[in-house]
Amino acid sequence: MLLLPAAALCCLCSALAAMAAELIQDDLTLTRRVGEKVSFSCGGTHQCDRDYDYVFWYQKKDTETFRRILRVDRSNGEIFSGYNHPQKDDLSAVNKQNGCELQIQKVQPSHSASYYCCCWKDDLIFGSGTKLFVTDEPVAKPVVSVYPAASGGRLEGQSSLLCVASAMFPPVVRFSWKRRKDNGPLEELRPAETEQLELRGSGRTAAILLIRQRTENSSYKYLCYVQHEGGTAEAPRVCVSVSVSVSFQSQCRVKLLLLLYSVLIVKSLVYCCGLSLLMMLRNKGPSTNCTHAD
């Protein structure tokens, strides 16, 4: 099997974060029962280097690193699977126009993982990945709620919204926002005017939208959309004016930092206690109170 070394893994993770999913994997998750068929789609392969026109598929399990499964030659559809992946006989690929599919004919619990496609374009470019859940649990569409920031200290020109998705399965969602001024058309949010922070907890995921509005005396209706395997859910519209408080933003950031530091401190204490106990057990020699026969 191809087990990527630490340096390669770092580069791989950096590429995933930096490339912003240049290949297209529309499915966030796919849920199947044991024995069912599943196909993972990968689009946008027209971007790939024509001189090295291959699409690679990787598998990433929660407790393992990235493993290369197979390679598809885009020019003739030939598949190379000589990477010694333990499940190589279970997985196959199909070459399609401007895309590629990875297929498993009969899924098993051991196939539960995230699957990524990639190719070369000056450097490796990746899809965003699709996570496979092998379970009998039915897909449940999320319940979505959106809340304005709590009113407290005010800072002119900024505001924040909280969008919460809960009660869904699988527990993987993607947030997006749009806005409308008065009776105008829906607008995409400008990156320079917004910032999003996501929080994941047990059974729910939240997105905090931080808004930096520059137009005085303006107000918009914001819509939160949540992409999920069960379909896209939309929260009720919330009207936000330029004078809404941003104290919620500061409080959330402080609480997140405190939580992060607390977790790190607890992990350090557990590690130190475990190490101390191990050293005490190793240093404890045989008893010196032995009785010698005359």
Side-chain angles (χ1 to χ4, degrees):
M1 81 183 65
L2 182 63
L3 188 62
L4 296 181
L9 178 60
C10 291
C11 294
L12 191 57
C13 293
S14 298
L16 285 173
M19 292 301 177
E22 291 190 51
L23 292 183
I24 302 169
Q25 289 184 259
D26 289 326
D27 296 315
L28 289 175
T29 61
L30 291 172
T31 303
R32 296 291 186 272
R33 291 182 172 88
V34 172
E36 292 183 339
K37 179 181 177 179
V38 66
S39 297
F40 306 92
S41 64
C42 176
T45 53
H46 63 279
Q47 307 172 83
C48 302
D49 190 341
R50 293 294 181 183
D51 295 328
Y52 193 68
D53 199 7
Y54 297 104
V55 174
F56 300 88
W57 282 95
Y58 285 86
Q59 182 191 71
K60 171 67 174 72
K61 295 191 175 183
D62 291 340
T63 57
E64 299 178 7
T65 187
F66 284 79
R67 290 178 177 175
R68 185 176 290 181
I69 303 168
L70 51 80
R71 181 190 71 199
V72 182
D73 189 333
R74 290 279 299 151
S75 63
N76 55 24
E78 182 179 345
I79 299 172
F80 176 77
S81 57
Y83 299 110
N84 296 322
H85 191 281
Q87 298 170 339
K88 64 179 182 179
D89 294 333
D90 301 336
L91 298 108
S92 60
V94 177
N95 198 10
K96 295 195 171 184
Q97 184 178 5
N98 193 30
C100 180
E101 281 189 3
L102 180 72
Q103 297 181 347
I104 306 176
Q105 297 301 322
K106 294 184 178 181
V107 300
Q108 300 297 325
S110 60
H111 295 133
S112 298
S114 295
Y115 295 84
Y116 295 85
C117 62
C118 76
C119 68
W120 283 97
K121 179 188 175 183
D122 299 326
D123 200 348
L124 282 175
I125 59 174
F126 283 80
S128 55
T130 299
K131 188 166 187 177
L132 173 64
F133 290 84
V134 182
T135 177
D136 291 332
E137 186 170 350
V139 173
K141 192 174 179 179
V143 177
V144 182
S145 304
V146 64
Y147 309 94
S151 58
R154 294 177 176 269
L155 181 61
E156 186 177 359
Q158 297 193 30
S159 57
S160 57
L161 292 173
L162 175 66
C163 186
V164 180
S166 60
M168 67 275 190
F169 185 84
V172 180
V173 295
R174 180 182 294 153
F175 292 92
S176 62
W177 298 80
K178 290 185 179 180
R179 70 181 183 182
R180 172 180 285 141
K181 185 175 181 181
D182 300 326
N183 295 321
L186 283 174
E187 302 176 4
E188 299 290 341
L189 300 187
R190 300 174 184 174
E193 296 181 359
T194 60
E195 179 183 350
Q196 180 170 287
L197 176 66
E198 291 191 14
L199 307 172
R200 301 183 185 275
S202 178
R204 66 186 61 200
T205 302
I208 302 173
L209 180 69
L210 309 177
I211 308 165
R212 297 181 289 272
Q213 296 176 336
R214 298 180 180 179
T215 305
E216 296 182 0
N217 300 322
S218 64
S219 63
Y220 289 88
K221 288 184 177 179
Y222 283 80
L223 289 84
C224 175
Y225 296 91
V226 177
Q227 181 185 346
H228 184 263
E229 184 177 345
T232 300
E234 178 183 339
R237 302 176 186 181
V238 174
C239 184
V240 178
S241 65
V242 82
S243 60
V244 176
S245 165
V246 293
S247 60
F248 186 72
Q249 167 189 348
S250 302
Q251 291 174 15
C252 284
R253 286 182 170 175
V254 171
K255 289 179 179 179
L256 283 173
L257 289 174
L258 289 175
L259 177 61
L260 177 60
Y261 285 127
S262 299
V263 170
L264 292 176
I265 290 171
V266 170
K267 289 178 67 175
S268 299
L269 288 175
V270 171
Y271 176 80
C272 291
C273 291
L275 186 60
S276 299
L277 180 60
L278 181 62
M279 294 182 66
M280 289 173 62
L281 293 175
R282 291 184 60 184
N283 293 334
K284 185 178 180 181
S287 176
T288 56
N289 298 327
C290 299
T291 303
H292 299 275
D294 293 334

